[in-house]
Amino acid sequence: MNGPHWLERTTDAGLGCYVHVPFCDRICPYCDFAVVRYEGAQLQRYLTALIQEVASSSREGPLQTLYIGGGTPSALPRASVQLLLATLFTRFRTEPGTIECTLEANPGRNEADLGSWRCAGVNRLSIGVQSFDDAELHRLGRAHTGAQAMAFYEAARGAGFTNVSLDLIAGVPGQTVDAFAQNLATAIRLDPDHVSIYGLQVEEGTPYARWRRRDPRAFCGDDMLAAMLECADATLTAAGYVHYEISNFAKPGFESAHNTGYWRQRDCVAFGMSAAGYEQGLRYRNIRDLEGYCAAIERAGSARCEEEHLEPEARLGEAAMLALRTSRGIDAQDFERRFGVLITDVFAHAARRCIAAGLLEQDRSGMRLTARGRLLANSVCAEFLEPQQTHVVTH
Ligand code: SF4
């Protein structure tokens, strides 16, 4: 399979860009993202603010990857997507078609816009399918059906998209391992280039959290969720996908260059409400509510509400945590080059504990999670957040 290999054309010294589009037709009851109900008047004000924020960025291009996420960016009117992309490509002196440019899309709407997105420079679609089962989709509060998800995928292929990713959720209330396996089988039959599998997280403050308090048995337990994720690993790997990150599978050459940049601490400028960026050790985030974001941009041209300058030790710990999410893991040579340390020194205690628990493996080339470690990744990654020695040099 000959993928676009955007990943091979990107470097750690390059620049990514994330743009947040918070609008959704309706808010799913499990969603904890920064989202608002789609409404025309708000949309216009938001787009104007977004374009002002892009224009006032001090960062120079070109970009290596561009990711329009949300929310539901595909719900924007066609002209708004075109304007937004043209603004970004022009501002960062980047030729459309020369970089990986992803748009997140939900099925059941705006199929007629697929061709215009391609013309505007989008060459990778990430489709929020979540399930092909109508009863599961209903419980998730999604607006589309399984048939609409399949039709949207086929329409994307028909419009010429050669790099398409599907998102599926594991652990939908009431879902069995067999039912989840059915979703995987349907996804594999469609033959996408990339599949993301997310275990359902129930976040406080959402309608799902209230539902789980009322009826905990409606939700799948840790063992069942682990069985689903193991099923995804076995099934997708057997179908030729590479499990290159905890939640992500790709045909060779179709790994997400944008997300890989994030896992490798590449600089990424970020625009829009709640958007989080990272530039030369500075991590920042914008205001999370729509009114606050727009008002701040209109008043001052910036909506940053959090900034954290990561000291070298913190960058090293974070780099380890992010690298462990990937199948490559912590690469010994790479860490020595980037931070001037031996991982066997700075992570000796954490590695010993995790290897003894069967969660990590280590050889001369580095350290990576075992299959069991992937299921408990958050606990393993937390062990690596604080390296042991302080003589870290960042390049
Ligand atoms: S479509 Fe996605 S971003 Fe929008 S409310 Fe549902 S889960 Fe959240």
Side-chain angles (χ1 to χ4, degrees):
M1 180 56 57
N2 195 18
H5 293 280
W6 292 119
L7 188 53
E8 292 165 16
R9 293 178 233 175
T10 60
T11 62
D12 290 357
L15 181 66
C17 176
Y18 174 78
V19 178
H20 191 73
V21 176
F23 302 101
C24 288
D25 287 328
R26 59 194 207 188
I27 308 301
C28 305
Y30 59 91
C31 183
D32 186 43
F33 299 132
V35 292
V36 290
R37 283 283 291 270
Y38 182 88
E39 196 206 291
Q42 285 187 328
L43 170 69
Q44 206 40 57
R45 184 179 178 208
Y46 184 75
L47 271 180
T48 305
L50 198 50
I51 285 169
Q52 186 183 337
E53 189 187 17
V54 171
S56 56
S57 168
S58 58
R59 197 63 195 254
E60 294 304 321
L63 301 175
Q64 286 190 338
T65 61
L66 173 56
Y67 194 103
I68 314 292
T72 310
S74 61
L76 291 180
R78 165 187 313 193
S80 303
V81 175
Q82 290 167 330
L83 174 65
L84 184 57
L85 286 167
T87 304
L88 288 157
F89 283 122
T90 305
R91 169 65 191 77
F92 289 103
R93 298 178 196 280
T94 302
E95 194 63 35
T98 61
I99 61 164
E100 178 191 276
C101 176
T102 306
L103 182 91
E104 287 185 348
N106 278 334
R109 196 175 187 285
N110 294 40
E111 250 172 61
D113 293 348
L114 282 158
S116 76
W117 299 338
R118 270 198 76 214
C119 292
V122 178
N123 54 21
R124 182 172 184 272
L125 272 192
S126 175
I127 306 178
V129 170
Q130 317 312 355
S131 167
F132 291 101
D133 180 290
D134 289 347
E136 289 177 8
L137 287 165
H138 182 71
R139 265 172 266 144
L140 288 169
R142 305 290 298 194
H144 65 266
T145 63
Q148 283 174 319
M150 286 189 255
F152 191 87
Y153 173 85
E154 297 297 355
R157 291 302 201 193
F161 280 99
T162 54
N163 191 353
V164 180
S165 178
L166 303 183
D167 286 359
L168 291 178
I169 291 180
V172 178
Q175 188 179 49
T176 61
V177 178
D178 282 351
F180 176 67
Q182 285 296 322
N183 282 329
L184 284 173
T186 306
I188 290 168
R189 268 200 304 280
L190 290 175
D191 199 26
D193 308 293
H194 186 282
V195 181
S196 299
I197 308 284
Y198 298 106
L200 182 80
Q201 301 280 333
V202 178
E203 305 290 351
E204 265 322 305
T206 61
Y208 259 40
R210 292 192 285 282
W211 181 12
R212 191 169 65 175
R213 272 196 292 278
R214 281 196 316 274
D215 184 9
R217 281 179 307 177
F219 288 78
C220 104
D222 291 346
D223 289 348
M224 193 189 275
L225 184 59
M228 289 179 191
L229 298 177
E230 280 166 348
C231 169
D233 183 25
T235 314
L236 288 165
T237 304
Y241 293 86
V242 180
H243 194 172
Y244 73 104
E245 195 265 352
I246 290 170
S247 307
N248 290 287
F249 299 79
K251 290 185 181 173
F254 286 93
E255 298 86 354
S256 161
H258 182 83
N259 285 337
T260 303
Y262 167 71
W263 299 317
R264 288 186 58 79
Q265 288 181 319
R266 183 191 56 170
D267 278 7
C268 182
V269 285
F271 303 107
M273 161 186 151
S274 85
Y278 179 79
E279 294 181 60
Q280 284 144 21
L282 179 73
R283 200 164 276 304
Y284 57 86
R285 180 179 290 281
N286 278 346
I287 293 170
R288 192 181 154 102
D289 77 280
L290 188 82
E291 170 59 35
Y293 168 79
C294 291
I297 295 288
E298 288 157 4
R299 195 176 54 246
S302 168
R304 281 194 195 176
C305 62
E306 282 173 36
E307 282 191 352
E308 183 190 7
H309 192 83
L310 297 182
E311 297 301 329
E313 288 76 20
R315 280 164 85 168
L316 170 65
E318 194 184 271
M321 191 190 77
L322 292 167
L324 280 173
R325 295 188 60 87
T326 67
S327 57
R328 183 181 177 196
I330 302 175
D331 182 305
Q333 278 187 358
D334 179 49
F335 268 58
E336 194 174 350
R337 178 183 59 78
R338 285 166 67 193
F339 299 103
V341 296
L342 295 177
I343 58 170
T344 43
D345 289 343
V346 289
F347 298 122
H349 295 339
R352 203 174 312 122
R353 279 195 296 271
C354 294
I355 289 169
L359 304 173
L360 190 80
E361 58 189 27
Q362 181 180 354
D363 57 24
R364 286 164 63 96
S365 68
M367 304 169 181
R368 64 207 67 80
L369 297 179
T370 59
R372 187 172 136 73
R374 279 205 290 264
L375 297 172
L376 297 168
N378 287 347
S379 339
V380 183
C381 290
E383 295 269 353
F384 282 76
L385 260 181
E386 289 181 17
Q388 282 162 243
Q389 80 174 37
T390 51
H391 303 298
V392 178
V393 184
T394 50
H395 298 288

